[in-house]
Amino acid sequence: MKPTALITGAGGLIGGYLFRTAARWVPQWDVCGVTRAEADLTDPAQVQELWRYSRPALVIHCAALSRTGACEQDPALARRINVEATKLLADWARDIPFLFLSTDQVFDGSKGQYVETDPVHPLNVYGQTKAEAEQVVLQNPAHSVVRIALTAGLSPTRDRSFVEDMIEKAAKGTKLTLFTDEFRCPIPAGPLVRALWECAVRSKTGLYHLGGSERLSRWEIGQVLASRFPELRPWIQPGSVADYQDPPRPPDLSMRSDKLQALLSFRLPGFREWLNSEASAGDDPWDHSLL
Ligand SMILES: NC(=O)c1ccc[n+]([C@@H]2O[C@H](COP(=O)([O-])OP(=O)(O)OC[C@H]3O[C@@H](n4cnc5c(N)ncnc54)[C@H](OP(=O)(O)O)[C@@H]3O)[C@@H](O)[C@H]2O)c1
């Protein structure tokens, strides 16, 4: 009998890709993907029931309140999902590998090119709850935290990734101001989940960064996307984060992924390189098997 890997948040962007690519990357595992409709992870009784029927040998915990705006609007809910549900799952998983997905938003963006030893200083509720959950998870030396960068992909509900957000806004005729002075290391979902699978099944413990190998401004990201999705072009315009009025935005959340890269069997691509390559020409430009 194969061991079972439990994927939480399987109805979301990254959990969905992990579930769909399992047969390709980890055929030696059975995969149980759980959506919110199947188990509310803030309910201890439902988590206990989930454990009883799935009997996992590995957990990749993707479920989260992942939208920064939703976290600002309801910090108590953000804490319940992002911290308390994570603690509950990590407790159940105390004797097996447990991989928690965190975010570049644990940093304040004042430095950029962040490495795992840099101190965290989140500017928003989302980042605060994720930083708190990281500490909970890392109390168990057999567990791991992977901070991931802005991820491009097609979600089951078609409304989760930043690319889906941009295409939806453009379709509605909304202008998108993309900052020339805000930086990230975006990564396509395909290589991201391949790296997560490698990290998880080899039981790599501790803290890792995982992003694309190219640091790009939001404006550069928009231009790369517009060359692939021309419908975006009329709706994107450059701007400066200095003119942004609302809650503070971390200007440079670029991360270095060298620590994880050294453990992987393939090279993490840059975002521009990926989209310009023939490899992204299939039905889903964010996922392919030809790395
Ligand atoms: N995508 C990115 O660019 C990015 C970047 C950095 C870090 N991350 C992190 O990576 C992880 C996965 O992100 P994602 O983009 O896949 O997020 P996502 O698309 O929002 O998926 C999260 C999933 O968690 C589910 N969920 C929320 N509350 C739940 C609960 N109480 N019980 C059970 N399930 C619940 C959501 O269900 P509903 O659909 O019903 O809400 C959703 O399907 C998250 O931890 C996120 O913080 C993502």
Side-chain angles (χ1 to χ4, degrees), residues 13-180:
L13 175 71
I14 294 166
Y17 272 93
L18 280 166
F19 188 69
R20 293 198 297 281
T21 59
R24 189 200 304 167
W25 299 127
V26 286
Q28 69 279 28
W29 286 78
D30 273 334
V31 174
C32 172
V34 63
T35 65
R36 186 210 283 267
E38 289 159 338
D40 180 345
L41 302 175
T42 62
D43 178 344
Q46 293 190 41
V47 173
Q48 183 172 10
E49 180 58 15
L50 173 64
W51 228 260
R52 200 187 56 73
Y53 79 74
S54 64
R55 299 191 178 282
L58 160 71
V59 178
I60 305 182
H61 177 36
C62 304
L65 193 63
S66 66
R67 290 183 178 271
T68 51
C71 293
E72 294 298 320
Q73 270 172 15
D74 194 341
L77 179 66
R79 196 164 191 288
R80 252 197 337 275
I81 297 175
N82 293 350
V83 184
E84 287 163 23
T86 301
K87 176 167 178 8
L88 183 63
L89 286 164
D91 283 348
W92 276 101
R94 69 183 72 84
D95 299 322
I96 59 171
F98 179 84
L99 191 158
F100 169 64
L101 296 198
S102 188
T103 170
D104 48 13
Q105 299 216 36
V106 296
F107 297 114
D108 62 15
S110 58
K111 169 182 171 283
Q113 301 288 12
Y114 287 100
V115 293
E116 288 81 352
T117 48
D118 284 325
V120 300
H121 181 223
L123 296 185
N124 55 37
V125 172
Y126 171 61
Q128 283 157 11
T129 57
K130 287 295 202 173
E132 200 178 326
E134 286 184 356
Q135 291 308 309
V136 170
V137 172
L138 291 172
Q139 277 170 19
N140 186 330
H143 288 177
S144 30
V145 171
V146 181
R147 291 180 184 143
I148 64 175
L150 197 60
T151 303
L154 292 176
S155 61
T157 47
R158 297 292 187 268
D159 64 352
R160 294 301 168 116
S161 77
F162 76 97
V163 182
E164 291 171 327
D165 276 351
M166 289 173 70
I167 289 176
E168 190 191 334
K169 286 196 177 113
K172 289 182 180 155
T174 308
K175 275 275 181 208
L176 296 163
T177 302
L178 303 177
F179 301 134
T180 54

